[in-house]
Amino acid sequence: MSIVVKSVCKALERIAPLRLAESWDKVGLIIESPVPRFDAKRVVLTIDLTTAVLEETLKVPTALVITYHPPLFQPITSLTLANPLQASLLKLSAAGTSVFCPHSSLDATWGGINDWLAEGIMGPQKATGKVDILGEVKGEAGGAGRIVTLDEPIPIEELVQRVKKHLLLSQVDVGRPLVQKSIKSVAICAGAGGSLLSGVDADVYFTGEMQHHEVLGAVARGRYVILCGHTNTERGYLPILAKKLLDALSELVRDESPDGLSLEERIEIGKYQLDIHISEADRHPLDRM
C-alpha cells in the first residue's frame, strides 16, 4: 500500500470512523491496487464512481478515489469488464488507483453530511435551535440522522427557500398535509430517508428521496415532505470533506501516538503536496427538463 493511500485512509477514519456505518453498508477500502503509482499525488472525491468520473480520474496519476457511494453493493460472483461499474474498478486498479468508500459513516459522524444539511435548516443567520441524533445513537461519535428543533416556528415556504439556497437548487419536491401548519421540527436523512424517517415525530421530513407510498403515508400523518434528489443532499458536502481531509493529514504528520504513522511514514507523507481534487464530472444522474 502506498504511503498516500495509507495516510488518507487513516485520516478518513479520524473524520468518519467506519464503526459508525450501518451494518448493511459496504464501507472502507473497496479496492487496493496491486500496482500503486508512487508518483501519484492526487486524491479524487466523488459521490458516485461513474464512467465519466473514471475517464476524468485516468487523465491524471491518482493514488486514491474516495467515492461516497459504494461502487459494489450487492454480492457478486465475478468481476469482469462486461459490467460498467466493475470495469471502472478494474481499470482504476490496473492504473494504480485504489478506491475507498465512507458512505453511512460520513452521514453519522458529527460534522458530517447530516450536520451540514442541518446547518441549511438553521438558516443564513444560524437561527437558534438544537440538533439531536435521529436513529441509533452510536456513542459520542454520532448517529444515522438528525432532527432539528427550532426555537421559533417558521412557515414551510421559508424552510423550502432555506433548503434550496443551501443545496443550490432551483426546485425541490414538497408534499403538503391537508392541515397546513408552521414548522418547528425537521427530521433529516441524507440520500434515501424513507425507512429512517418513517414514524418519526417531526413537522417535516427532509431527505433526497422516498418511495411513493412512504410519501403518501407521511403526508397522511400530517407531515410535510421535502425531497431534493438523492445525490443533491450529499454532493455539496464534498468541499467540506476536502478541507477536513487536509486538516486530518496535517494532524497525522504531527501525531506521534502509536495509532498514527511511523516516524519514517510521517516524514515521507510530509514531503508530498497532495492534490485533493473534487470531481468535475460527478453530477446528479437525472435532469429536469
Side-chain angles (χ1 to χ4, degrees), residues 31-36 93-94 96-98:
I31 289 288
E32 181 183 350
S33 174
V35 286
S93 181
T97 303
S98 298

Side-chain angles (χ1 to χ4, degrees), residues 122-287:
M122 302 293 276
Q125 303 304 319
K126 296 296 184 290
T128 54
K130 65 175 182 176
V131 180
D132 295 308
I133 290 175
L134 175 62
E136 180 187 356
V137 177
K138 301 185 178 182
E140 297 181 356
R146 298 292 185 269
I147 186 163
V148 173
T149 305
L150 299 171
D151 287 345
E152 298 294 333
I154 61 174
I156 184 63
E157 291 79 12
E158 180 177 341
L159 179 64
V160 169
Q161 288 305 313
R162 290 182 183 183
V163 168
K164 291 197 292 188
K165 182 176 182 179
H166 192 61
L167 301 184
L168 304 178
L169 298 174
S170 60
Q171 293 177 307
V172 297
D173 293 323
V174 181
R176 297 174 181 266
L178 189 61
V179 178
Q180 307 288 292
K181 59 183 178 181
S182 296
I183 306 305
K184 193 80 185 303
S185 58
V186 182
I188 299 171
C189 179
S195 59
L196 179 66
L197 301 179
S198 178
V200 172
D201 184 13
D203 297 325
V204 179
Y205 293 171
F206 168 34
T207 185
E209 62 179 333
M210 293 169 62
Q211 294 182 13
H212 178 71
H213 286 88
E214 291 172 339
V215 175
L216 291 179
V219 170
R221 292 181 177 87
R223 320 295 184 197
Y224 288 93
V225 176
I226 301 177
L227 304 181
C228 306
H230 191 119
T231 67
N232 289 332
T233 59
E234 302 157 343
R235 188 165 287 103
Y237 184 78
L238 291 181
I240 298 172
L241 178 58
K243 183 180 185 305
K244 284 179 174 288
L245 191 53
L246 287 172
D247 291 343
L249 286 167
S250 296
E251 290 177 6
L252 270 176
V253 171
R254 299 190 299 269
D255 186 5
E256 299 180 7
S257 65
D259 64 339
L261 300 171
S262 67
L263 175 60
E264 293 77 11
E265 290 170 333
R266 287 189 285 118
I267 292 173
E268 184 177 352
I269 193 63
K271 297 177 181 177
Y272 278 80
Q273 294 294 323
L274 290 184
D275 172 21
I276 309 297
H277 174 74
I278 299 173
S279 172
E280 298 174 2
D282 179 51
R283 60 189 297 276
H284 191 63
L286 301 174
D287 291 322

Side-chain angles (χ1 to χ4, degrees), residues 27-92:
V27 296
L29 192 62
I30 304 298
I31 289 288
E32 181 183 350
S33 174
V35 286
R37 294 189 57 169
F38 293 96
D39 62 330
K41 300 179 180 180
R42 171 168 282 196
V43 175
V44 171
L45 305 186
T46 184
I47 295 298
D48 290 303
L49 180 54
T50 62
T51 52
V53 172
L54 169 70
E55 292 176 3
E56 175 191 19
T57 300
L58 292 177
K59 292 177 181 178
V60 178
T62 299
L64 183 68
V65 171
I66 302 171
T67 174
Y68 169 75
H69 286 136
L72 296 177
F73 203 80
Q74 301 299 330
I76 61 173
T77 57
S78 62
L79 195 60
T80 72
L81 295 174
N83 181 298
L85 293 178
Q86 296 175 12
S88 293
L89 293 174
L90 290 169
K91 290 175 182 178
L92 286 173

